[in-house]
Amino acid sequence: MELAPEHRTHAREILKRAISELGVSSAFAPTCDEGWLTACLDMARTVEPQACLFDGTTALPVRAPEYPRACMRRIAPEEFDEVQRASGGFFTGDATCQSLAAGEQYIYALEHAGEALGWGIIVPLHSRPQYWACGMITRSDMLRRGIGRSIQLHLADICREHGRTPISGCWYKNHLSRKTIESAGRAMSSLLIKVGF
């Protein structure tokens, strides 16, 4: 919720009306949005951490990826069903397939010796066009080999080549994903909180 400075004193009343008139029972608030977080916490009955958010504004010095960029291949829309099956349903079904066809999202496979080891996705953010969200999944039998890290590094390069800032997120208890994203040079910048009213 973005309120103009002159209206911020009304944040509590606006949220209170949304809760009562629209039946809003919960909201997500990132800790980086102090105004929205404050308004939500002021009305909170429950507070639950949800996700860690990572910012790639500054490209930090990190070791080279374990797999070169040549191993990354952009997925065509007609390959989506196979990627969805192979990734264990990581992607979001028809919406993602349609988004691929429209050029609104990009999925990449990291392949080596003729097989896919993991996949990455770039989702441009409409609300904040300077940021592109980067996600990845590694095959469960290929963990701890630098695949996810390589995917994150290459996705960040793709974002920067398009003049965009890479960002990422993961569930706050997913320590392996968090470690992977941090090893790709992104620091946690915020925590997403679910606030129940």
Side-chain angles (χ1 to χ4, degrees):
M1 177 171 91
E2 186 70 36
L3 289 177
E6 63 271 19
H7 299 297
R8 289 186 183 152
T9 57
H10 306 291
R12 178 180 166 75
E13 283 307 310
I14 293 169
L15 183 56
K16 189 175 180 180
R17 284 185 67 185
I19 292 167
S20 65
E21 294 177 18
L22 301 175
V24 174
S25 61
S26 64
F28 291 101
T31 56
C32 62
D33 187 341
E34 294 176 12
W36 177 235
L37 178 63
T38 300
C40 288
L41 292 176
D42 193 29
M43 303 291 292
R45 290 180 188 248
T46 61
V47 176
E48 301 172 56
Q50 296 294 299
C52 299
L53 305 175
F54 301 85
D55 185 356
T57 299
T58 303
L60 302 174
V62 295
R63 72 181 188 278
E66 287 76 5
Y67 293 84
R69 175 90 172 259
C71 291
M72 293 285 281
R73 182 179 67 81
R74 190 165 156 187
I75 298 298
E78 57 272 13
E79 298 175 272
F80 177 76
D81 289 339
E82 173 56 27
V83 169
Q84 182 72 332
R85 185 199 59 74
S87 67
F90 178 72
F91 303 99
T92 57
D94 291 339
T96 301
C97 188
Q98 292 168 1
S99 296
L100 283 177
E104 297 171 351
Q105 297 180 358
Y106 313 98
I107 295 177
Y108 293 83
L110 188 143
E111 299 172 333
H112 182 70
E115 64 177 324
L117 308 179
W119 300 268
I121 185 168
I122 293 176
V123 181
L125 301 182
H126 297 293
S127 61
R128 299 174 76 193
Q130 72 274 24
Y131 294 102
W132 283 5
C134 302
M136 85 292 175
I137 186 168
T138 301
R139 280 186 12 205
S140 59
D141 61 330
M142 301 299 289
L143 297 175
R144 298 177 190 251
R145 300 180 190 196
I147 295 163
R149 182 177 175 281
S150 296
I151 291 170
Q152 281 288 350
L153 286 166
H154 296 314
L155 294 179
D157 287 343
I158 292 166
C159 292
R160 291 186 179 111
E161 288 163 9
H162 287 86
R164 301 299 190 266
T165 300
I167 59 172
S168 297
C170 66
W171 184 51
Y172 83 107
K173 286 192 176 181
N174 187 340
H175 301 295
L176 289 178
S177 186
R178 181 177 178 169
K179 186 176 180 181
T180 298
I181 294 167
E182 290 173 337
S183 74
R186 275 181 233 130
M188 188 169 83
S189 60
S190 185
L191 189 64
L192 186 66
I193 306 290
K194 182 179 181 182
V195 180
F197 305 119

